[in-house]
Amino acid sequence: VISYEVENTATLVFQPAGRTLNLADAFVQDTISVTDKFKIIPGLKIENEPYTGIEPLPSLRVSWKPIDQVLLWSSVSRAVRADTPVDRDLIEKVGATPILDKSFNFQPETLTAYEIGTRIQATPHISFSISGFYNVYDDLRTIETTPGTVLPLGWGNMARGLVYGMEFWGSYRITDWLSVGP
């Protein structure tokens, strides 16, 4: 439960000035061992968002150990940035003229994340990991004109984005009680 009360100013107005928002979620996940070396891990989080209702957030992970020292894995998952009072209730004014009006059409921003990687135990003292990711963002927040007029502006979801990259880490165990790395 999130409750807030805002003291409005002449230029920034929340309508309504206060709300009590309820956010609830449930998560379930299972590990399915297809073989001793191959596993599938499906998961599902269900969020009940205050403004948009039910949001399903599925994930799927797969791992395979071709040999004891090597783990190969990949995953795909969905996430959202749910609406906030700024997205739904904020009005910005210059004098009496609304410049930015609250939007009832704003939708949650979504992310589909793809990952792949490997972890290797090269020796009993040396291990490393390399992974890559590719994230697709849809319905990103934009500022749009009101149809048929210039002002007021409103929040929209007209942008997309891509983020991709790789990460690497290594670890060296000097003794049983001292290691260098993550």
Side-chain angles (χ1 to χ4, degrees), residues 25-146:
D25 62 60
F27 179 74
V28 62
Q29 178 176 296
D30 191 20
T31 300
I32 302 165
S33 296
V34 178
T35 69
D36 288 345
K37 298 186 179 267
F38 183 72
K39 296 180 181 175
I40 300 171
I41 305 168
L44 179 63
K45 181 178 184 180
I46 302 286
E47 281 193 354
N48 188 2
E49 302 289 343
Y51 294 105
T52 57
I54 301 295
E55 289 288 345
L57 308 171
S59 66
L60 180 65
R61 301 176 192 285
V62 177
S63 69
W64 177 47
K65 282 186 99 167
I67 60 175
D68 286 342
Q69 297 82 8
V70 176
L71 174 70
L72 303 169
W73 60 271
S74 67
S75 69
V76 61
S77 57
R78 178 179 186 268
V80 298
R81 184 192 72 83
D83 306 21
T84 68
V86 170
D87 301 317
R88 291 295 182 129
D89 300 337
L90 180 65
I91 300 170
E92 186 173 358
K93 296 180 180 182
V94 173
T97 306
I99 303 298
L100 179 63
D101 202 351
K102 59 186 181 176
S103 173
F104 294 103
N105 296 322
F106 182 78
Q107 298 299 310
E109 297 173 325
T110 62
L111 160 67
T112 304
Y114 304 91
E115 298 175 277
I116 190 166
T118 186
R119 282 184 232 145
I120 298 173
Q121 185 74 44
T123 72
H125 297 284
I126 299 171
S127 63
F128 62 90
S129 173
I130 187 167
S131 58
F133 60 90
Y134 184 82
N135 294 338
V136 179
Y137 294 87
D138 288 310
D139 299 322
L140 295 178
R141 182 170 69 179
T142 55
I143 295 177
E144 305 295 326
T145 59
T146 304

